[in-house]
Structure formats: C-alpha cells, structure tokens
Amino acid sequence: MRVFIALAPPDEAKDELAQELGPAYAAYPRMRWNRIEDWHITLAFLGELPVTAPPLLRAPLARLAATRKPLELALRGGGQFDDRVLWSGIDGDVDGLRELATEVRALVRECGIAFQERTLRPHLTLARARRDDPTSVLTVAERLSTFSGRPWPTERLHLVGSNYGRGPAPIRYRDIASWPFEGS
C-alpha cells in the first residue's frame, strides 16, 4: 500500500474552502477533484511499503504526537504545480509545520524505513486537470488567490494508506492510525 504521514484540516475549514470552490466545481466538471474527506497536508510521503512497515511507525508516531502541541494553521490562497495540479496554500505556524515534518521524517528513518525525501511545500491538493486541459488549473488558482480561511488548530497526526494504482477506481485514503497532539 502507499503510505504517508499527514495533518488533516477540520471539517469547518474544509467546508469553508469547498464553498469558495463551488463555482469552480460547476465550471470545471472535467477536472479530477479530490474528495473533501481526503484533503490533507503531507508531512512525509513514504511511497509503496510492505504491509509489515506501518506497524513499526505506530508507537513512535504516538509518542511524537503526545509531546507536540497543536499548530495553528489556515488555508490561504491557491496555486498550481506543473499547470495540472491545483492546491490551496497553508498559512499560520508554517515554521512549526516544517519542524514537525522534520521530526516525522527523522522518526521514519530511525524506524529503518527508506523513503525518497522531498522538499516540503505545505499545501492541500484540490484537483488535477486532464492532460488535454492546459488552462483550468491556472484559472481556478487565480480565482483562489484571494481566499483566506479562518485559523484552526491541528488536532491529530495521521498515518494514512491509499489504494493508488489498484484499478480504475479513484484514489481513496484511509487512516491506518491517528494520534492527538497533547503537548503543552
């Protein structure tokens, strides 16, 4: 299964952004919109792992979450990667977010799990354009550039699995486990 470690905005923050995206959903139905319940901020993408690997992360991630206080973040603006991927930006305690990602990645390495390190670009992926549609993402990103969501505290650290590459169905994510931030 494909595995990653992430944060999830609360439903209220996701609903606020979804309302802002309402006109785009109607105007660009051919874009592949991510399901709102799957929206997340990736801290570490681990890729394809054997089913024996995620259990190795449970106790260390639980300990990390127990020592960390919630971060205050907000969804803000929008942009695109490669003219095909639409995203919303992350605002608030971005330095704290980078620090958390660094700790998560170090923990994964300490557990002996190899993964390809990618530069953290805090964002929430919203949609992908089809290859024959070079302008939709640019247009929606421009319209989203003024969006400013209300701040929210991160609640949980999530270990997530996906069914990517498992047939013609859309990608679906599911929590393998999650832990509350309890530090002070």
Side-chain angles (χ1 to χ4, degrees):
M1 87 174 69
R2 276 202 169 176
V3 177
F4 57 91
I5 300 162
L7 302 175
D11 289 344
E12 299 79 25
K14 292 190 284 189
D15 290 345
E16 187 177 34
L17 179 56
Q19 183 175 351
E20 182 76 15
L21 288 168
Y25 290 147
Y28 302 101
R30 290 193 64 239
M31 286 179 65
R32 292 176 300 191
W33 294 97
N34 290 6
R35 297 181 330 151
I36 293 169
E37 57 267 32
D38 289 340
W39 287 355
H40 63 273
I41 303 162
T42 302
L43 300 173
F45 179 75
L46 308 183
E48 287 280 338
L49 294 180
V51 295
T52 56
L56 300 173
L57 296 168
R58 287 177 181 258
L61 287 171
R63 284 191 298 273
L64 176 62
T67 64
R68 296 285 306 207
K69 66 179 183 174
L71 301 170
E72 185 158 296
L73 301 175
L75 300 175
R76 187 107 46 239
Q80 80 279 338
F81 297 132
D82 302 325
D83 298 335
R84 291 195 55 228
V85 178
L86 175 68
W87 51 261
S88 176
I90 306 301
D91 200 9
D93 188 0
V94 177
D95 288 340
L97 181 64
R98 289 183 191 287
E99 182 181 307
L100 176 61
T102 298
E103 290 180 45
V104 162
R105 292 168 182 209
L107 182 150
V108 171
R109 285 190 301 275
E110 289 168 13
C111 288
I113 297 173
F115 66 102
Q116 181 181 355
E117 296 254 2
R118 299 177 182 181
T119 302
L120 181 69
R121 296 191 287 184
H123 70 281
L124 187 108
T125 301
L126 303 172
R128 287 172 176 75
R130 298 185 187 280
R131 293 189 193 284
D132 65 348
D133 180 6
T135 61
S136 296
V137 166
L138 299 172
T139 303
V140 178
E142 184 177 313
R143 291 181 186 164
L144 198 56
S145 67
T146 59
F147 174 74
S148 181
R150 72 187 94 177
W152 43 270
T154 56
E155 296 173 358
R156 302 181 73 80
L157 182 63
H158 299 264
L159 178 62
V160 183
S162 77
N163 67 341
Y164 183 80
R166 305 287 186 248
I171 297 170
R172 296 287 188 249
Y173 303 114
R174 67 171 179 82
D175 270 1
I176 296 168
S178 69
W179 305 271
F181 290 109
E182 299 177 323
S184 53

